Amino acid sequence: AAVANGDCIITFQPERRSRSRAARAGARHNPPLRAHYQAPRARGQAKKLALVACMRKLLVILNAIARDAFPFNSLRYLDFQHSR
């Protein structure tokens, strides 16, 4: 997506790239995010769709951290039993 801003075009590609890298690392090394990645994959959905789901989950977590002004606690933010 691109947004026209006067005579230049602003793209969100760098932001998307960094979210993708963070989601990929989380899907490999963080057990709750790995489960969040593997659930759509087990249902036969594409890898990219599962990665986008992880990216969205990370954004929700970051927004909750900013809203609550608490440091990250995986037990608090990655409790999947209450998030669905």
Side-chain angles (χ1 to χ4, degrees), residues 4-6 9 11 14 19 24 28 34 37 56 66 71 74 76 78 82-83:
N5 185 9
I9 300 229
T11 65
R19 282 188 315 217
R24 245 185 262 136
R28 289 184 69 186
R34 185 180 312 143
Y37 174 81
R56 178 162 168 37
S74 64
R76 178 183 178 143
L78 294 176
H82 300 302
S83 65

Side-chain angles (χ1 to χ4, degrees), residues 24-61:
R24 245 185 262 136
R28 289 184 69 186
H29 302 291
N30 188 315
L33 274 178
R34 185 180 312 143
H36 196 70
Y37 174 81
Q38 289 174 345
R41 293 292 297 142
R43 291 190 304 264
Q45 294 178 338
K47 291 178 184 178
K48 188 171 185 177
L49 190 135
L51 189 64
V52 169
C54 285
M55 289 165 53
R56 178 162 168 37
K57 184 66 175 178
L58 284 174
L59 280 177
V60 169
I61 291 169

